[in-house]
């Protein structure tokens, strides 16, 4: 999308906040830059930068850089990850993701009574990679901005909770078994940054294993997007039939950045790319993830949080707890 003159101020504010969060994270590693960007954004977006003159630019910075970041993530992973983790590791992640998505959809419909689209966004965010997955799924299911912001905030806050709990609970349960600790962190924590931050509070080897498990979840992003897109399409068709509307069903629209992500993943798996290129892609994708959360925080108003209420936060925290319990059960069975 073209940057217009009225967007410049908001874009600058969002980028500066993202850079500040990245700098501040050096002194507050337990929170990480993503969480700091979002929390500071919520505070500043409801006070200093509540003026409408920032709104257009903040909205642009919230939505478009993350698309580039998601596309570049394809250069940071390869199919070699699958081989590295082995059959048990692959089974662990696949079962963890499938059951997590099923639990999220079930609880959203029957317990917490949230909309189907919000449940899908929560499923993607928790099962795959936090805000990046939510940003990827949102346009394919027609979710609005408030639904996207609320789910990102909830998933990110759940990630902060896990970041504080897992470095204490993990070693208590698994001792110095770094592979199992990596599976626990990499299979449950939402964003890539939070995975690295959580694992680094244990030890460097756990960071390596946790990242591998997390990368496999990211590889599955394209499939998750397609599944949710098909679910949304089917629901729309049923709605049209109930309303007596007859027409040709719409094709599933896959966002450009998901297609590029898949292409980059294949290229990176088949060709040995320069380390500088993959490292650069990783750094840019990581920073754009921080920009995304800074923008979401700046755009997320207290009124929206109040309207979503304690119910939605409880929904997120319950899913986080269930994810950890599921991971512990699967680790016990598979490893």
């Amino acid at each position: 999308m073209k940057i217009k003159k009225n967007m410049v101020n908001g874009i600058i504010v969002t980028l500066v906040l993202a850079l500040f969060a990245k700098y501040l994270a050096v002194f507050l590693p337990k929170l990480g830059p993503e969480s700091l960007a979002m929390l500071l954004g919520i505070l500043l977006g409801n006070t200093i930068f509540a003026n409408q003159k920032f709104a257009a630019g903040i909205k642009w910075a919230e939505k478009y850089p993350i698309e580039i970041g998601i596309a570049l993530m394809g250069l940071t992973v390869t199919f070699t990850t699958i081989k590295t983790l082995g059959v048990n590791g692959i089974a662990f992640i696949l079962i963890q993701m499938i059951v997590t998505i099923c639990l999220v959809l079930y609880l959203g419909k029957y317990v917490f009574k949230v909309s189907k689209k919000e449940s899908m966004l929560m499923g993607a965010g928790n099962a795959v990679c936090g805000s990046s997955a939510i940003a990827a799924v949102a346009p394919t299911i027609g979710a609005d901005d408030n639904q996207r912001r609320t789910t990102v905030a909830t998933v990110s806050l759940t990630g902060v909770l896990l970041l504080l709990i897992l470095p204490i609970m993990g070693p208590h349960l698994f001792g110095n078994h770094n592979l199992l600790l990596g599976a626990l962190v990499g299979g449950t924590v939402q964003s890539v940054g939070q995975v690295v931050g959580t694992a680094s509070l244990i030890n460097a080897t756990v960071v390596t294993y946790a990242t591998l498990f997390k990368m496999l979840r990211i590889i599955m992003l394209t499939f998750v997007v397609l599944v949710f897109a098909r679910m949304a399409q089917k629901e729309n068709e049923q709605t049209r039939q109930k309303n007596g509307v007859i027409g040709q069903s719409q094709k599933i629209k896959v966002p450009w950045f998901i297609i590029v992500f898949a292409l980059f993943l294949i290229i990176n798996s088949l060709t040995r790319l320069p380390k500088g290129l993959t490292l650069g892609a990783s750094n840019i994708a990581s920073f754009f993830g921080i920009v995304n959360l800074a923008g979401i925080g700046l755009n997320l108003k207290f009124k929206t949080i109040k309207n979503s209420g304690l119910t939605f936060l409880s929904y997120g925290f319950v899913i986080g707890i269930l994810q950890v319990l599921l991971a512990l059960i699967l680790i016990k069975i598979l490893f």
Side-chain angles (χ1 to χ4, degrees), residues 82-286:
I82 298 174
K83 183 179 178 181
T84 303
L85 293 178
V87 176
N88 288 1
I90 296 167
F92 167 70
I93 289 298
L94 292 180
I95 296 170
Q96 177 82 2
M97 289 181 66
I98 293 168
V99 176
T100 294
I101 290 171
C102 291
L103 281 172
V104 171
L105 295 177
Y106 179 84
L107 291 174
K109 183 177 181 179
Y110 295 106
V111 179
F112 294 98
K113 311 291 184 182
V114 302
S115 72
K116 183 72 172 288
K117 289 178 181 178
E118 286 171 326
S119 292
M120 288 182 184
L121 294 178
M122 286 287 286
N126 282 282
V128 189
C129 52
S131 60
S132 297
I134 292 171
V137 168
T140 67
I141 65 172
D144 63 41
D145 287 342
N146 279 337
Q147 289 172 326
R148 179 173 50 80
R149 288 171 192 146
T150 304
T151 50
V152 166
T154 304
V155 168
S156 297
L157 289 172
T158 304
V160 173
L161 186 68
L162 295 180
L163 188 148
L164 297 173
I165 293 173
L166 294 185
I168 298 171
M169 185 181 77
H172 178 73
L173 294 173
F174 301 123
N176 295 320
H177 201 309
N178 293 325
L179 175 64
L180 302 188
L181 290 167
L184 177 64
V185 174
T188 58
V189 180
Q190 285 77 3
S191 75
V192 176
Q194 287 175 333
V195 166
V196 174
T198 304
S200 65
L201 294 176
I202 304 175
N203 65 58
T205 306
V206 174
V207 173
T208 302
Y209 283 120
T211 303
L212 286 173
F213 281 105
K214 183 63 179 177
M215 289 302 104
L216 181 52
R217 289 166 69 188
I218 293 172
I219 288 171
M220 299 302 296
L221 176 61
T222 304
F223 299 101
V224 172
V225 170
L226 291 173
V227 167
F228 281 134
R230 178 56 189 150
M231 287 173 63
Q233 182 192 48
K234 191 174 180 180
E235 188 174 22
N236 289 336
E237 289 173 357
Q238 290 174 347
T239 302
R240 285 200 301 270
Q241 288 174 2
K242 284 181 181 178
N243 295 332
V245 178
I246 300 173
Q248 192 174 10
S249 61
Q250 295 180 334
K251 292 181 179 179
I252 295 175
K253 295 180 180 179
V254 181
W256 70 268
F257 49 91
I258 290 297
I259 296 171
V260 176
F261 168 88
L263 289 173
F264 280 168
L265 169 60
I266 294 168
I267 292 169
N268 197 28
S269 299
L270 298 177
T271 309
R272 189 177 181 85
L273 297 174
K275 190 174 181 181
L277 178 63
T278 57
L279 183 61
S282 177
N283 289 334
I284 293 171
S286 176

